[in-house]
Amino acid sequence: NALTVMDDCDLALAVRAIVFGAVGTAGQRCTSTRRLFVHESIMDTVCEALVKAYQQVRIGDPLEEGTLMGPLTDQRAVATFEAAVQAANAQGGKVLTGGKRMDRPGSYVEPTIIRAENHWDIVQTETFAPILYVIPFADLDQAIAMHNGVAQGLSSAIFTNDLRNAEAFLSARG
């Protein structure tokens, strides 16, 4: 489940959608956003905006007004989350924010952003946790190839203001 962010996108719109897709339901839905392909020319800008947004995520009881992210299902899910973060670090990933179990009752973890490479085993593994792997790309063809180069995937989107990019993404080529 990947999103592609082109260098001509509406960044404010993209950031809101990315955060909700990756963090809503604590990443535990089949269509949660797990991979984010970002055009290399805006990689730093997007990462900075996402880190700032993630640090504002209200975590707690999902039945309370204003809460965006609740707990994971159980302690086993927390252990899977921790193992995924550790695996990403071992493969060369860089945690930009999050990555830890929260010190509070329940199965709470910090929503996590990791700069990664698409081919890593952990990036290709479904963890059902709020981990977003951010991956740079040089051109739309490369993003499409990485996007489609997985065994599974239920959702996808592109953020662009260029109709040609949107049509290419939606076409048989995409």
Side-chain angles (χ1 to χ4, degrees):
N1 302 308
L3 303 179
T4 299
V5 179
M6 299 299 295
D7 57 352
D8 66 344
C9 75
D10 177 336
L11 185 58
L13 174 66
V15 167
R16 286 192 305 272
I18 293 161
V19 171
F20 182 76
V23 175
T25 67
Q28 297 176 104
R29 119 187 126 241
C30 293
T31 55
S32 292
T33 304
R34 292 188 317 100
R35 296 179 301 148
L36 181 67
F37 301 118
V38 179
H39 191 275
E40 62 191 11
S41 68
I42 60 169
M43 184 68 154
D44 290 340
T45 301
V46 170
C47 287
E48 288 170 15
L50 284 171
V51 166
K52 183 177 178 182
Y54 267 53
Q55 291 170 347
Q56 297 174 28
V57 168
R58 184 162 172 228
I59 302 166
D61 182 343
L63 299 177
E64 288 183 13
E65 184 81 24
T67 298
L68 178 58
M69 192 180 107
L72 296 182
T73 56
D74 54 28
Q75 291 303 310
R76 192 167 115 203
V78 172
T80 299
F81 163 85
E82 291 175 320
V85 172
Q86 187 175 41
N89 281 329
Q91 292 178 27
K94 180 180 178 189
V95 175
L96 302 180
T97 191
K100 297 181 182 89
R101 173 190 306 250
M102 295 181 75
D103 186 20
R104 65 193 294 180
S107 302
Y108 289 93
V109 299
E110 298 171 342
T112 303
I113 301 171
I114 300 174
R115 281 190 72 154
E117 293 183 23
N118 190 57
H119 63 88
W120 293 347
D121 290 340
I122 192 58
V123 173
Q124 301 294 318
T125 302
E126 187 79 58
T127 57
F128 292 99
I131 300 173
L132 179 66
Y133 300 103
V134 183
I135 303 157
F137 69 89
D139 59 45
L140 183 57
D141 287 335
Q142 182 187 23
I144 289 171
M146 288 189 298
H147 191 105
N148 292 335
V150 294
Q152 74 288 339
L154 298 174
S155 65
S156 63
I158 186 169
F159 291 92
T160 183
N161 284 322
D162 186 329
L163 187 57
R164 293 168 297 192
N165 289 335
E167 288 296 328
F169 187 83
L170 293 172
S171 72
R173 180 177 125 210

